[in-house]
Amino acid sequence: MNISRKLMLIVILTAAEISITVYSAFEIAKGAKFHQLNFLHLKYTHQLTKSVKKIENDIPIDINAIESDILLIRQQPIECIEQINPLNYAVMKVINTDHTLTICENDIEIADKALLSVNQYKKGELSRDAFLLNLNTSLSGFNKNTELFEEPIRKTVSFILMTLIPLVIIISFFNILFISYLSRTISSSIRNLTLLLSSKPESNINLDDELDIKTSGELKALVIAARQRIKNDLLNIENSIELKEIINSQTASLQQANDELAQFAYRASHDLKSPLSGAKSLAHFVIEDIKAGDTEEASRNALVIYQQMEKLETLVVDILLLAKAEIGNEDKDVIDFNQLIIDMKERLSWLMKDNPCTLETTINLSVPIRSEKARFAQIIENLISNGLKYYDRNKDSPYVRCDIFNEQETFFITVTDNGMGIPQKHQSEVFDMFKRFHAQTSTGSGLGMALVKKHIEYLNGEVSLQSSDEGTTFKIIIPMDKLT
């Protein structure tokens, strides 16, 4: 096989693996979405139940609240049906869980009848007792559908997880082995040719005959072309050495890329497995608690499952962001950094609540900055959120400060804090994937700083850090010609 075909095969295998990994991440996230929809369905059904109890206790009817609860309940099966694509349906057919769609459709029908009763009651066409009876009938249907929905969805999600994750691992392992094999064959072919050309030929052997026997295709054509250029005084020994160095450098880079891909597949699989295993175990406890009638303990375990699914969803989203970081797919426009900071504070309100850190921002730009807003939002948010998470509880006035400014032909972002700092021995690993240095306070996926570096490299910029017990400063430098 020609070298170009081997390299093309490597590209195709890598692209296929990335595509399968990204698709698997989407499907795993979709599984978490199904459980979330059923949880919301149960939540809004509970709200409607409380409203019905009030009616039974002769409390005035809040018809608007009842109508709102029914609409919210109805929305969950609609979103569930929209989430299921043809491939999902085919899988559900195979494992006999396709009746999930029937459950969703039945739930929508019950909700429509309940809404009809609400309208009839508003118009005075339905008595209070008849209206109450209709609501209790609807509640019975909603609760039944919630219970029926959980098992087929659990079975479907389990099937997807047990199929896709091993598939990704197997494909990754095969890909690494096969690409390594192709790399070795390329290196071997080049090495054999190099040995042939560098060895002292025997007096009775013609070099052309040796080339016909030991080389073929592109390598043979390369040698013939090289010899022709030597005859024309256009190629010298230095060029040959440089060519060899380039080939060795490219081979080493390819091997490094394979190693990084193997590490990413291993760490991603490990971090995906952990919350899934925990959720599976807790789900078993929930089932046992429900059988035992201990609904309070079941609720606590269900909350932990929900938190595990949120952790899994965060990891999947970060993986997707990392995969898209090197792709420029957003229109460039003038960035309003003041609004960007406002939006960021809203997204981080959960982290800033009850956090003693003060957040200071200064923006001093002499010219408009035109680029992809999402990249800068992710860079700034990751750096600031890290400063807020890892503040030093032993310091009286913890703070995080972000400065955005430009000087001549350079754009700067600096984020400074007086937090606990990054240990000296780990500072060289800050921008590696899946790295966390404060296990007691770390809550993220370990991909945030790797994502920051990807965005900055895409913008031809540089990032540096200084850290000690006094705090940490990240400094980002980007050429203005990329931003105007």
Side-chain angles (χ1 to χ4, degrees):
M1 185 185 294
N2 291 339
I3 291 177
S4 61
R5 292 181 180 177
K6 292 179 181 178
L7 293 175
M8 180 58 68
L9 184 56
I10 289 173
V11 172
I12 292 172
L13 288 173
T14 303
E17 181 180 353
I18 292 173
S19 300
I20 292 172
T21 302
V22 172
Y23 174 77
S24 300
F26 274 117
E27 289 302 308
I28 292 170
K30 186 182 291 184
K33 178 68 173 179
F34 285 141
H35 286 296
Q36 181 187 28
L37 290 173
N38 199 35
F39 172 79
L40 291 175
H41 185 277
L42 180 63
K43 172 187 174 182
Y44 298 133
T45 301
H46 180 65
Q47 290 180 188
L48 181 61
T49 300
K50 291 195 291 186
S51 297
V52 171
K53 290 293 183 183
K54 290 180 180 179
I55 299 175
E56 293 175 346
N57 293 329
D58 293 328
I59 297 174
I61 297 175
D62 187 350
I63 195 67
N64 292 328
I66 292 173
E67 184 177 23
S68 175
D69 289 339
I70 295 172
L71 288 171
L72 290 171
I73 293 171
R74 184 178 184 273
Q75 185 61 31
Q76 311 315 309
I78 291 175
E79 290 187 19
C80 180
I81 292 174
E82 291 174 349
Q83 289 284 330
I84 298 175
N85 57 38
L87 181 58
N88 298 145
Y89 184 75
V91 171
M92 295 170 78
K93 269 281 189 184
V94 171
I95 62 176
N96 296 321
T97 59
D98 53 309
H99 60 282
T100 304
L101 292 175
T102 304
I103 295 173
C104 292
E105 291 168 355
N106 177 255
D107 209 62
I108 295 171
E109 183 179 343
I110 293 172
D112 289 338
K113 290 180 180 179
L115 290 172
L116 178 61
S117 296
V118 169
N119 289 331
Q120 289 176 337
Y121 182 81
K122 285 182 177 180
K123 295 177 182 178
E125 298 174 359
L126 203 64
S127 67
R128 180 188 180 97
D129 291 339
F131 179 52
L132 179 60
L133 178 62
N134 290 349
L135 288 179
N136 278 316
T137 300
S138 299
L139 276 174
S140 177
F142 291 147
N143 286 317
K144 180 180 178 182
N145 287 338
T146 297
E147 295 175 359
L148 292 175
F149 182 87
E150 183 61 30
E151 177 57 24
I153 286 300
R154 183 200 62 75
K155 187 176 179 181
T156 302
V157 173
S158 296
F159 178 83
I160 291 173
L161 292 176
M162 290 187 294
T163 302
L164 291 182
I165 292 180
L167 178 63
V168 169
I169 295 172
I170 291 170
I171 290 175
S172 299
F173 184 73
F174 170 80
N175 210 9
I176 292 166
L177 291 179
F178 197 67
I179 290 176
S180 297
Y181 167 75
L182 291 177
S183 300
R184 286 196 297 270
T185 60
I186 293 172
S187 300
S188 177
S189 298
I190 296 170
R191 186 167 53 254
N192 290 337
L193 179 58
T194 303
L195 290 173
L196 176 62
L197 295 176
S198 61
S199 63
K200 184 178 180 180
E202 298 179 9
S203 58
N204 61 340
I205 296 179
N206 186 283
L207 182 58
D208 290 334
D209 295 335
E210 284 291 292
L211 286 174
D212 288 336
I213 295 171
K214 296 185 177 181
T215 62
S216 61
E218 293 167 332
L219 287 178
K220 183 178 179 181
L222 176 63
V223 173
I224 293 172
R227 292 178 67 195
Q228 185 62 41
R229 294 190 68 179
I230 291 173
K231 291 177 182 178
N232 297 329
D233 295 327
L234 297 177
L235 192 64
N236 53 38
I237 297 176
E238 288 77 11
N239 297 117
S240 299
I241 295 174
E242 182 180 356
L243 176 61
K244 183 179 177 181
E245 290 176 349
I246 291 173
I247 292 173
N248 290 336
S249 175
Q250 290 177 342
T251 304
S253 297
L254 183 60
Q255 187 61 49
Q256 182 182 359
N258 292 340
D259 294 341
E260 290 177 354
L261 182 61
Q263 182 186 14
F264 176 81
Y266 171 78
R267 294 302 301 274
S269 300
H270 178 273
D271 282 14
L272 287 170
K273 180 181 177 182
S274 178
L276 290 173
S277 299
K280 180 181 178 181
S281 298
L282 286 169
H284 175 73
F285 292 144
V286 169
I287 293 171
E288 295 300 319
D289 292 336
I290 292 174
K291 288 181 180 179
D294 190 353
T295 57
E296 183 176 349
E297 181 64 22
S299 297
R300 283 196 293 268
N301 287 331
L303 177 60
V304 177
I305 292 174
Y306 178 76
Q307 293 169 343
Q308 292 279 17
M309 291 303 101
E310 279 191 324
K311 179 180 178 181
L312 179 61
E313 184 179 26
T314 299
L315 177 59
V316 171
V317 169
D318 285 349
I319 291 174
L320 294 177
L321 288 175
L322 191 64
K324 295 190 298 183
E326 295 180 350
I327 304 173
N329 57 359
E330 184 177 334
D331 293 337
K332 295 183 179 180
D333 204 350
V334 174
I335 300 176
D336 184 348
F337 282 95
N338 288 301
Q339 186 61 46
L340 186 148
I341 294 295
I342 292 172
D343 295 340
M344 179 210 66
K345 288 181 178 178
E346 291 180 359
R347 290 192 298 272
L348 296 180
S349 59
W350 64 273
L351 181 58
M352 299 175 69
K353 182 181 180 182
D354 300 327
N355 191 317
C357 271
T358 58
L359 175 58
E360 306 169 8
T361 59
T362 59
I363 301 171
N364 187 12
L365 298 171
S366 60
V367 294
I369 301 300
R370 184 181 296 273
S371 187
E372 300 173 35
K373 178 182 175 182
R375 291 187 185 276
F376 284 91
Q378 290 171 22
I379 290 170
I380 295 171
E381 184 170 331
N382 272 294
L383 293 175
I384 289 179
S385 65
N386 277 351
L388 294 172
K389 288 177 187 176
Y390 305 125
Y391 73 90
D392 192 336
R393 291 167 173 77
N394 297 319
K395 293 177 182 175
D396 294 333
S397 303
Y399 67 85
V400 179
R401 184 173 67 251
C402 176
D403 298 305
I404 301 170
F405 59 96
N406 69 288
E407 294 178 358
Q408 298 178 346
E409 300 301 319
T410 307
F411 174 82
F412 296 91
I413 299 175
T414 63
V415 177
T416 304
D417 64 65
N418 63 342
M420 59 181 67
I422 302 168
Q424 181 69 33
K425 63 180 180 180
H426 293 309
Q427 291 184 15
S428 61
E429 305 172 351
V430 167
F431 298 103
D432 293 346
M433 294 183 291
F434 301 106
K435 292 293 183 181
R436 307 179 183 93
F437 307 121
H438 298 287
Q440 70 277 13
T441 55
S442 177
T443 58
S445 64
L447 295 175
M449 297 310 296
L451 181 61
V452 168
K453 186 179 181 183
K454 285 285 187 183
H455 285 314
I456 294 170
E457 288 177 346
Y458 177 85
L459 296 167
N460 293 338
E462 298 177 359
V463 58
S464 60
L465 73 92
Q466 292 181 339
S467 186
S468 66
D469 294 341
E470 301 302 317
T472 302
T473 296
F474 286 91
K475 185 175 183 180
I476 296 168
I477 301 174
I478 301 173
M480 289 293 287
D481 58 6
K482 289 286 290 185
L483 304 177
T484 54

